[in-house]
Amino acid sequence: MAKILGISGSPRNKSTEYALGEALKSIESRDGIETSMITLRGKKIAPCNGCGYCKKNKTWCCLKDDFEPLLKEFMEADAYLFGSPVYAYGPTPQLSAFFSRMRPLFHVYPELMRDKIGSAFAVGGTRNGGEEATITAMHNMMMARGINIVCNEVYGYAGGYIWSKDQGQEGVDADEIGMGGLLKLANKLADMALIREYGKKALEEREAAVNERD
């Protein structure tokens, strides 16, 4: 079973959270796929302050807030779909803080994320309002944490781009092209998650067979 976790970086229950839920619904009935979602809305997550505690002591972050329980659920997943609204030509501060606190995952426990995959989408109030810049920033943050990126299909390229016109769920539904691209992205992520799952099993069986011969 491949577990896909959706992460909404929005501080509100509006366009991004709704779009993410619809994307997960489009893949939750597929054989071998299990979906869940977390939202950063209302969570207290301080950004990394660069204290170096995790690297020096080879352990987890010393800051205590709402991040730790979210991290536990995050690590149980195999693939991730990150979503963020566009407020200032980039991901929300909430999502940036979440990524910054994952520093121990890459610098202390890199083996935990080495083969995991992720995709990103952005919701903007205006067309060409920073969606591409936001997705690029999310891709950069994924790379900084060792998450392998799954891009989109033709005409979606890097990720999912939705123009909500600041009209919430109604605006998301009205952008048929944008939502169509997001659903393609979610299904491609599911494809890659299944390939990852079956590929790992094949490698384990191959290694077991080699060890048995030796």
Side-chain angles (χ1 to χ4, degrees):
M1 182 69 70
K3 297 181 179 180
I4 298 180
L5 176 66
I7 302 97
S8 171
S10 176
R12 305 188 302 166
N13 183 10
K14 292 287 187 177
S15 305
T16 302
E17 197 165 317
Y18 169 72
L20 178 59
E22 292 300 295
L24 294 177
K25 284 180 186 177
S26 73
I27 58 175
E28 64 184 8
S29 62
R30 293 184 53 167
D31 289 340
I33 294 292
E34 177 183 322
T35 67
S36 60
M37 181 172 71
I38 60 175
T39 175
L40 305 187
R41 170 172 47 88
K43 304 295 192 303
K44 294 182 179 179
I45 303 175
C48 173
N49 59 20
C51 70
Y53 178 89
C54 60
K55 294 179 69 175
K56 179 180 179 181
N57 296 282
K58 304 300 180 185
T59 189
W60 299 105
C61 181
C62 61
L63 299 178
K64 302 301 179 184
D65 51 24
D66 294 334
F67 177 72
E68 189 172 341
L70 292 177
L71 180 64
K72 290 180 180 179
E73 186 172 355
F74 185 85
M75 289 190 298
E76 291 175 355
D78 304 299
Y80 310 101
L81 180 57
F82 295 95
S84 176
V86 182
Y87 294 156
Y89 254 73
T92 61
Q94 289 82 359
L95 190 58
S96 295
F98 183 81
F99 269 104
S100 76
R101 289 286 295 282
M102 284 195 281
R103 193 179 187 195
L105 272 179
F106 191 62
H107 292 284
V108 183
Y109 306 105
E111 69 282 356
L112 296 178
M113 303 300 294
R114 186 173 181 272
D115 61 351
K116 297 197 177 185
I117 58 179
S119 296
F121 74 94
V123 180
T126 61
R127 182 71 75 189
N128 302 321
E131 292 90 340
E132 288 193 358
T134 299
I135 290 172
T136 297
M138 286 192 279
H139 283 175
N140 289 340
M141 290 191 288
M142 278 191 267
M143 288 190 290
R145 296 299 175 245
I147 301 171
N148 301 289
I149 297 168
V150 175
C151 62
N152 208 348
E153 305 287 359
V154 177
Y155 302 118
Y157 300 133
Y161 310 86
I162 297 176
W163 178 24
S164 70
K165 298 182 181 179
D166 291 330
Q167 294 178 3
Q169 176 180 334
E170 183 179 337
V172 170
D173 287 335
D175 185 10
E176 296 181 3
I177 294 176
M179 272 305 293
L182 174 57
L183 298 184
K184 287 181 179 180
L185 177 66
N187 277 273
K188 185 174 182 180
L189 180 65
D191 289 342
M192 296 300 104
L194 290 172
I195 290 171
R196 171 190 178 275
E197 183 73 10
Y198 295 134
K200 288 184 68 174
K201 289 181 180 178
L203 283 174
E204 291 170 358
E205 292 173 358
R206 180 177 181 276
E207 289 176 359
V210 170
N211 292 333
E212 191 174 307
R213 288 199 302 269
D214 293 342

